Amino acid sequence: MGFLNYACAQEYEFEDRTLAHLKVAISMKLRRQECFLMSWTNPAERGSGRTSIWLAPNIPLAFRFSGSRSPSLSETWPTALNELSHTPRGLIVMTEQEAERYLANR
């Protein structure tokens, strides 16, 4: 499990491969100086519910991976995350399979 450190104040835990794809999608947006909302569902062991954070170029972010090797990257997963980031709901963290279904049904 890796961590997304947000604003030097809060850490959010994600599986390393998911975090690697989020890093790609988030970097694409912030490189273009775009602000957006990112949301995800919390598992029961972390209290359930949903979390949303506002991402902007001026908010410090750090990606900390637990594994020593970079995970393989899918071409479609970051595409789906990026497309969702342009919607009013913002970037919704999803699995690779959910991303593939999203792109197939758009």
Side-chain angles (χ1 to χ4, degrees):
M1 298 301 261
F3 295 90
L4 171 66
N5 183 297
Y6 177 74
C8 300
Q10 183 70 39
E11 278 196 329
Y12 300 102
E13 188 174 28
F14 294 96
E15 189 272 323
D16 269 2
R17 190 151 188 270
T18 301
L19 187 60
H21 286 83
L22 288 171
K23 179 181 168 186
V24 170
I26 290 168
S27 297
M28 286 190 297
K29 297 285 289 179
L30 297 180
R31 191 176 305 124
R32 293 187 298 252
Q33 300 295 306
E34 296 175 353
C35 303
F36 60 102
L37 190 65
M38 182 173 102
S39 303
W40 62 91
T41 303
N42 297 309
E45 61 269 11
R46 283 191 248 148
S48 299
R50 293 183 42 78
T51 300
S52 295
I53 58 175
W54 182 251
L55 296 171
N58 61 334
I59 299 172
L61 287 180
F63 299 88
R64 184 167 52 96
F65 297 90
S66 59
S68 60
R69 294 184 184 170
S70 297
S72 62
L73 292 177
S74 158
E75 290 185 30
T76 56
W77 199 354
T79 300
L81 295 171
N82 188 49
E83 283 187 18
L84 283 168
S85 72
H86 294 286
T87 68
R89 291 180 60 203
L91 188 158
I92 306 295
V93 178
M94 61 178 61
T95 66
E96 185 173 8
Q97 294 75 25
E98 290 170 330
E100 290 169 357
R101 282 194 300 274
Y102 169 80
L103 292 173
N105 293 324
R106 63 182 167 159

